[in-house]
Amino acid sequence: MILPGNDPAALRVAADTVRAGGLVAFPTETVYGLGCDALNPDAVQQVFRAKRRPAFDPLIVHVADRTRLDLIVRDVPPRAQRLMERFWPGPLTLVLPKQARVPDAVTAGRPTVAVRQPAHPVARALLKAAGIPIAAPSANPFGYVSPTTASHVLDGLGEEVSVILDGGPCPIGVESTILSLADSTPRLLRPGGIARQDIEAVIGLVEGPASQGSVSLAPGQSPRHYATRTPVTILSGDRHPEAQERAGLLAMSPATHHRLGGRFCAVEVLSSSGDLAEAAANLFAALRRLDRLELDRLYVEPCPELGLGAAIMDRLRRCAVPHELLSLQRKHRTQGYRTEEAL
């Protein structure tokens, strides 16, 4: 059931549900999360079942404030402290050494845990009312476009969720940035709501993830992810719709719509001015609307990879991985290879 996120009675119901081992969907500033008691292994397994999420994909644990970190984190290095002071609450997830009490299912058996303090008032109110850390991936079937409204959650998960708290559309619209501080080298595992250059302004140089083969170090890193059911192609000089295609266009600005819109059956414009923050906030909802039209293909306009543009392009590239990859991955799994599941 969907309940208003600003209703104290609804928050009590949601908090009681989480403490009792149930699942609650709630808004964050990034996307809607599917939350459970992070320290209850049975509740965590419910999240994986509801999302049909593979066990190798770790979850992010949300805390009400930094005073709750000692429940789940063993050590908070000085760099983490500086980043928390600058960006928490907000869309920055830090990967740190975990406490033994954190279930292995939360961390996919790794000795580290991903943690953040969300900024959305409904998320913060739920965490305060529940009084426990809440593990929460995005509230959608694994691999599909992330939800940025309560209705998206209901469409994707339906009766799998006991309570959905409605806090309106998510203002940032793409997931949090994930930064590992688990060793001496800070590593950006996923671009998101905090730009890499803003992080580097606080702690210095940040590197990309070390090569781990097919092992997922952070949520949202499967080769095909954030994906529509309709095939997606990123526009380039030699990639345009064929004459017989019923195609949709995801444009970054009205200028692209005016230039190319006549070639497409449907067009979604992400920003009236080409603003990347506005484009990110509208990205997933626009992809969902186009996906419902049962078109042959969706074409998406790339954007500059500055600030939120890096997160937008990360999502679009994963969305655009060919569907044919799925059958190859499934074949590898049946042959005993360790590969990532895409959907």
Side-chain angles (χ1 to χ4, degrees):
M1 58 180 168
I2 297 180
L3 299 176
N6 59 358
D7 180 3
L11 284 165
R12 287 194 294 271
V13 170
D16 289 344
T17 300
V18 171
R19 285 195 297 266
L23 305 186
V24 170
F26 62 96
T28 76
E29 68 276 22
T30 59
V31 300
Y32 274 70
L34 180 62
C36 71
D37 178 353
L39 302 180
N40 181 336
D42 293 335
V44 172
Q45 290 299 335
Q46 283 193 62
V47 168
F48 280 87
R49 287 194 295 270
K51 282 178 61 69
R52 300 182 293 281
R53 184 185 183 94
F56 60 70
D57 213 31
L59 307 181
I60 293 173
V61 177
H62 298 69
V63 294
D65 55 61
R66 279 184 274 171
T67 65
R68 310 298 291 173
L69 275 177
D70 60 348
L71 287 173
I72 58 172
V73 171
R74 181 165 45 83
D75 178 50
V76 181
R79 279 182 297 207
Q81 294 281 8
R82 296 200 299 273
L83 290 169
M84 292 173 190
E85 289 167 4
R86 174 66 179 84
F87 297 115
W88 280 19
L92 176 64
T93 294
L94 298 177
V95 177
L96 298 165
K98 75 167 187 173
Q99 291 279 16
R101 65 169 62 91
V102 178
D104 283 345
V106 170
T107 65
R110 296 174 181 79
T112 55
V113 62
V115 61
R116 85 177 183 102
Q117 182 188 0
H120 197 289
V122 175
R124 297 182 70 181
L126 173 62
L127 285 159
K128 182 178 179 180
I132 53 176
I134 293 178
S138 57
N140 58 294
F142 181 74
Y144 190 59
V145 182
S146 299
T148 54
T149 69
S151 63
H152 293 166
V153 179
L154 187 63
D155 290 345
L157 294 180
E159 299 303 317
E160 299 282 357
V161 189
S162 301
V163 177
I164 302 172
L165 290 175
D166 189 351
C170 298
I172 293 179
V174 292
E175 293 82 356
S176 62
T177 301
I178 301 180
L179 182 75
S180 175
L181 296 175
D183 54 39
S184 59
T185 303
R187 295 190 182 277
L188 183 70
L189 302 184
R190 179 178 74 183
I194 300 294
R196 179 176 187 158
Q197 53 265 41
D198 293 335
I199 294 171
E200 291 183 330
V202 177
I203 63 168
L205 185 65
V206 170
E207 297 189 9
S211 177
Q212 296 290 324
S214 63
V215 177
S216 180
L217 295 176
Q221 297 304 285
S222 295
R224 178 169 167 80
H225 210 76
Y226 315 106
T228 54
R229 297 178 180 89
T230 310
V232 167
T233 294
I234 297 174
L235 282 170
S236 64
D238 60 348
R239 298 301 301 272
H240 290 286
E242 299 176 7
Q244 69 274 19
E245 277 188 322
R246 295 182 62 255
L249 170 65
L250 185 70
M252 292 293 162
S253 70
T256 308
H257 182 192
H258 295 153
R259 182 167 54 89
L260 297 176
R263 305 182 187 183
F264 296 91
C265 298
V267 178
E268 289 279 349
V269 177
L270 292 180
S271 172
S272 59
S273 62
D275 179 73
L276 290 177
E278 183 182 9
N282 293 326
L283 175 64
F284 288 141
L287 280 170
R288 284 171 175 267
R289 287 191 294 269
L290 288 169
D291 200 24
R292 287 199 294 265
L293 299 179
E294 299 184 353
L295 301 170
D296 296 327
R297 182 168 295 274
L298 305 181
Y299 289 83
V300 300
E301 180 186 10
C303 68
E305 297 194 48
L306 301 173
L308 278 171
I312 292 171
M313 290 308 300
D314 172 75
R315 277 42 170 196
L316 291 178
R317 288 192 183 100
R318 294 179 192 279
C319 182
V321 167
H323 284 237
E324 289 79 5
L325 178 65
L326 300 182
S327 59
L328 177 62
Q329 290 172 326
R330 288 165 183 154
K331 178 182 178 182
H332 282 181
R333 286 200 301 278
T334 62
Q335 293 175 346
Y337 297 115
R338 188 176 186 184
T339 61
E340 292 200 28
E341 182 171 337
L343 285 176

